[in-house]
Amino acid sequence: MQKILRIDSNDNLIVALKDLHAGESFSWDDDNITLVTDVKAKHKFATQDIPLDGIVSMYGTPVGKATRPIVKGEAITVDNIRPYAAPVTLEDVEPYHCQPPDVSE
């Protein structure tokens, strides 16, 4: 069984598919990562060092900011990130017009 999963190639997080332990090593896209903390199944760990206020990305989009430096291979928790969303602009978006379906029959 596969133990880890990277959702998007631009993500700096990887998902643990089962409980993982500090000291375990993994290779992903020619990068070697050794866990420095335990990581529970369905939780994430950093694929690179992330500085204070650094962007944490998953699903190809920012999902958080580091509340302290996070080292490569460290579990991501509510203690080391806070929620964050990238600014959104709708200036170039065409207005959406809903065409209700014909339900007369």
Side-chain angles (χ1 to χ4, degrees):
M1 173 184 172
Q2 186 173 333
K3 292 183 177 185
I4 61 174
L5 174 67
R6 181 177 254 164
I7 306 294
D8 185 278
S9 61
N10 296 313
D11 293 346
N12 58 2
L13 302 181
I14 286 183
V15 180
L17 299 177
K18 60 179 283 184
D19 289 348
L20 305 175
H21 304 286
E24 286 189 71
S25 293
F26 302 95
S27 292
W28 193 280
D29 291 338
D30 298 326
D31 191 20
N32 294 314
I33 304 164
T34 300
L35 297 180
V36 297
T37 59
D38 291 342
V39 182
K40 293 182 179 182
K42 302 179 187 174
H43 290 244
K44 290 85 182 157
F45 60 90
T47 62
Q48 63 191 49
D49 290 341
I50 302 170
L52 172 66
D53 286 329
I55 301 292
V56 177
S57 62
M58 191 158 167
Y59 316 110
T61 191
V63 295
K65 276 195 172 185
T67 58
R68 62 170 180 74
I70 301 169
V71 297
K72 181 178 180 176
E74 182 177 353
I76 300 300
T77 71
V78 296
D79 296 325
N80 59 15
I81 68 164
R82 63 181 161 80
Y84 170 79
V88 175
T89 178
L90 300 176
E91 292 174 8
D92 296 338
V93 177
E94 295 277 333
Y96 177 75
H97 299 284
C98 177
Q99 179 64 36
D102 181 1
V103 294
S104 59
E105 288 187 31

